Amino acid sequence: MASAEKPAHFLQQLVAADIAEGRVQHVVTRFPPEPNGYLHLGHAKSICLNFGLAEEFGGSCNLRFDDTNPEKESQEFVDAIQRDIRWLGFQWQGEVRFTSDYFEQLYLWAIELIRAGRAYVCELSAEQARAYRGTLTERGTYSPWRDRPVEESLDLFARMRSGEFEPGAMSLRAKIDMAHGNINMRDPVLYRIRKAHHHHTGDAWCIYPSYDYAHGQSDAIEGITHSICTLEFEDHRPLYDWLIDNLPVPAKPRQYEFARLNPNYTVTSKRKLRLLVEEGHVEGWDDPRMPILAGMRRRGIPPQAIRNFCDMVGVTRANSVVDIAMLEFAIRDYLDKEAARAMCVLRPLEVLLQSDGELPASVAGANHPNRDELGSRDIAFSARIYIETDDFREEANKKYKRLVLGKRVRLRHACVIEATGVEKDAQGQFTRVLARVVEDSFGKDPADGNKPKGVIHWVSEQSQPCEIRLYDRLFLDEAPDAGGKDFL
Ligand code: ATP
Ligand code: MG
């Protein structure tokens, strides 16, 4: 991760200090996706950060599905997420974990909170609870159920679990402080009734822990040393700490926040990406235009290019917009260094070659301009070849380095040609260029000293036809979801 040129980011510094000062022996991080969609570019940043820190400091990184929302989650997403993390080149420690594996423990801890007078069963409706919560400027109102006897809450909570009540009839809430300046501390909901089938636990449960209740305790169960999340959870940290302080958890994880990856010309919100899929604006989650890892894979983007991009954008605590051109640069830069070359013509213009000598049936071309180990290939050659329509002009000034009528150009890996004529259709469009092969110019400069400046690519009529799919950015708008703007 940290290279010689690049200074360590704040989380690298923080983890290094924790180790140096003996607060942490073995670093344990985790990537905690909710299986309610495919992974996007923003997740890649979090994956690179969590797995990267573990790798760098000789620790480990868990994969834990935060699966507390059965209606929105599915096995399809569980599978796709694992595939995409592996594709990026990371491997989690041990088995895949699920928050739902801890449901029994979380339930038992909830009972402890009730026993300690720190949680109660509340029968306010969702709407009432919202009204009682107050606002940023006004304190909340105490629920009439807040001081019900502990025994009563214990009994009701057990009956909630056994399925006696309907969704919305009651919830379990922490008893903290309805006047707290942080709304997350105003008696937040710990459990809700949900009669939903769960992709991992089936019908075993009809009450589900809230994300806020499950998250920190799951980290504690797994012995996570650095619970890394995005900045919007900063305001939830006091609640996580309160729960950890009030429960007999086996470890005390600490949370650190960093700024989300927020690229322009795209959206990285699963809710909005899901809309694009469900409303048919794209072909699916893995549509090659989507900022979804599975789509980027289909588009041919190498995983290392995405990792390089994440490294380039760095990790900070300041929210900012990243130019998507940086990703495009990272992709080109990686492909330029690593990819074997091939020639392909997108908008073909026929060129008929005339030669005094016999033309070779093929020419050899290096697969990479400066990586000999990538070898070379035989490229079919013939009298009829195709060049890009844009690579020919009847007249041009000196800046144009491609083929011009009466002038010369080099065909990459082959010979120098000189355009001697052009044929056009009724609309004046070029239909064929006639050209002469300059004698003895295969792999050499012409003997007459008239050396062309430009080199163009071409294919022979013997070359493989292929289907080319060209994709541009999905959004023309630089900020498709700025200020809550509805882009659909
Ligand atoms: P979304 O807003 O797309 O639904 P999320 O945070 O709800 O994202 P999760 O599946 O919960 O989705 O995310 C798993 C992890 O990925 C979380 O730790 C989250 O902080 C991180 N993450 C999600 N989006 C980004 C982003 N744009 N940049 C960096 N990290 C992100
Ligand atoms: Mg989330």
Side-chain angles (χ1 to χ4, degrees):
M1 286 257 302
S3 51
E5 332 64 272
K6 204 158 185 263
H9 59 66
F10 81 99
L11 283 168
Q12 286 171 313
Q13 290 176 18
L14 193 142
V15 174
D18 282 345
I19 292 174
E21 288 155 30
R23 283 185 294 275
V24 173
Q25 268 80 48
H26 180 80
V27 174
V28 189
T29 56
R30 84 286 180 265
F31 175 62
E34 189 185 345
N36 62 352
Y38 279 62
L39 294 181
H40 54 60
L41 194 55
H43 293 120
K45 175 170 177 176
S46 173
I47 292 169
C48 288
L49 176 58
N50 281 295
F51 284 90
L53 282 173
E55 224 165 78
E56 182 181 351
F57 292 99
S60 48
C61 181
N62 293 349
L63 168 61
R64 180 177 73 244
F65 286 101
D66 246 320
D67 54 348
T68 54
N69 231 333
E71 290 100 335
K72 292 193 176 146
E73 299 165 1
S74 77
Q75 190 61 40
E76 177 197 351
F77 299 136
V78 170
D79 295 338
I81 289 171
Q82 292 180 55
R83 188 164 61 233
D84 292 344
I85 296 172
R86 285 211 196 87
W87 177 69
L88 277 180
F90 295 109
Q91 183 59 49
W92 47 91
Q93 175 71 30
E95 298 288 302
V96 173
R97 294 149 211 260
F98 294 86
T99 297
S100 56
D101 289 339
Y102 312 138
F103 278 177
E104 188 64 35
Q105 177 65 74
L106 294 170
Y107 175 76
L108 294 175
W109 278 338
I111 291 175
E112 296 211 25
L113 287 176
I114 301 174
R115 284 220 172 94
R118 294 202 167 93
Y120 60 98
V121 170
C122 177
E123 293 175 50
L124 290 180
S125 68
E127 202 180 318
Q128 287 171 320
R130 214 169 302 126
Y132 276 58
R133 196 181 302 139
T135 63
L136 284 175
T137 49
E138 271 172 70
R139 49 168 295 162
T141 313
Y142 288 108
S143 158
W145 311 102
R146 195 174 202 260
D147 290 318
R148 75 190 329 162
V150 165
E151 287 310 319
E152 203 175 293
S153 279
L154 284 172
D155 173 59
L156 286 171
F157 189 49
R159 287 161 62 194
M160 276 168 66
R161 180 185 181 169
S162 67
E164 206 173 300
F165 309 113
E166 288 312 303
M170 49 189 77
S171 64
L172 183 73
R173 296 175 67 180
K175 193 190 278 190
I176 310 181
D177 181 1
M178 290 308 291
H180 205 289
N182 182 338
I183 293 185
N184 294 309
M185 298 295 271
R186 295 185 188 165
D187 291 12
V189 171
L190 306 180
Y191 271 88
R192 289 189 179 83
I193 301 170
R194 278 189 169 147
K195 304 225 161 148
H197 184 80
H198 189 286
H199 57 95
H200 194 58
T201 56
D203 297 314
W205 293 88
C206 61
I207 53 171
Y208 287 91
S210 62
Y211 176 86
D212 278 349
Y213 175 60
H215 197 71
Q217 278 64 258
S218 300
D219 279 350
I221 291 171
E222 294 182 10
I224 303 300
T225 54
H226 298 82
S227 301
I228 298 168
C229 66
T230 40
L231 277 172
E232 68 271 25
F233 292 102
E234 190 170 18
D235 288 349
H236 297 238
R237 177 150 37 94
L239 172 57
Y240 300 158
D241 289 345
W242 183 90
L243 288 162
I244 291 289
D245 287 343
N246 284 295
L247 285 169
V249 287
K252 297 202 169 202
R254 287 202 54 191
Q255 173 172 301
Y256 304 93
E257 303 87 14
F258 71 101
R260 297 174 77 83
L261 174 66
N262 189 17
N264 58 9
Y265 294 101
T266 190
V267 293
T268 49
S269 144
K270 261 184 285 180
R271 189 182 63 77
K272 291 178 179 171
L273 291 165
R274 176 194 288 270
L275 273 182
L276 288 172
V277 175
E278 285 173 355
E279 296 187 0
H281 300 280
V282 293
E283 283 170 19
W285 286 98
D286 66 348
D287 186 301
R289 293 164 299 174
M290 291 281 267
I292 293 283
L293 298 184
M296 296 170 79
R297 174 167 60 234
R298 272 186 73 191
R299 191 165 169 166
I301 296 175
Q304 188 61 44
I306 297 173
R307 290 177 61 159
N308 293 350
F309 165 70
C310 291
D311 208 23
M312 270 162 65
V313 300
V315 179
T316 67
R317 277 184 54 84
N319 277 316
S320 66
V321 174
V322 166
D323 195 337
I324 197 71
M326 275 174 80
L327 172 65
E328 295 160 352
F329 167 81
I331 297 166
R332 276 196 301 272
D333 183 59
Y334 178 84
L335 290 174
D336 181 42
K337 290 183 183 125
E338 304 294 331
R341 307 299 204 256
M343 293 194 289
C344 175
V345 167
L346 295 178
R347 294 181 57 228
L349 173 61
E350 182 184 327
V351 179
L352 202 53
L353 299 177
Q354 172 218 25
S355 165
D356 293 338
E358 199 171 321
L359 291 175
S362 69
V363 293
N367 284 333
H368 195 281
N370 38 34
R371 289 191 53 193
D372 293 345
E373 75 276 17
L374 292 182
S376 68
R377 66 200 189 279
D378 284 331
I379 306 164
F381 192 69
S382 55
R384 193 189 312 276
I385 62 167
Y386 296 91
I387 64 171
E388 294 289 351
T389 299
D390 281 350
D391 282 351
F392 173 76
R393 287 190 195 167
E394 276 186 290
E395 291 172 19
N397 64 22
K398 283 219 169 70
K399 279 197 201 134
Y400 186 80
K401 301 259 169 5
R402 295 171 266 172
L403 187 59
V404 179
L405 191 59
K407 304 247 168 63
R408 293 180 177 187
V409 81
R410 173 167 286 283
L411 296 179
R412 184 173 299 284
H413 302 305
C415 55
V416 175
I417 61 171
E418 187 173 297
T420 54
V422 62
E423 296 172 8
K424 300 178 195 172
D425 63 15
Q427 285 75 46
Q429 301 289 323
F430 305 142
T431 52
R432 179 187 288 156
V433 175
L434 304 174
R436 172 176 87 77
V437 173
V438 175
E439 196 187 341
D440 204 20
S441 65
F442 280 88
K444 294 186 205 160
D445 286 337
D448 62 11
N450 181 358
K451 188 178 143 186
K453 292 245 162 45
V455 183
I456 61 172
H457 63 273
W458 52 276
V459 293
S460 150
E461 65 177 336
Q462 311 292 340
S463 300
Q464 290 291 322
C466 61
E467 181 184 332
I468 304 289
R469 300 182 193 169
L470 294 177
Y471 296 103
D472 202 349
R473 291 172 181 170
L474 184 55
F475 292 99
L476 293 173
D477 193 334
E478 189 174 336
D481 59 355
K485 185 165 43 176
D486 224 351
F487 60 94
L488 297 175

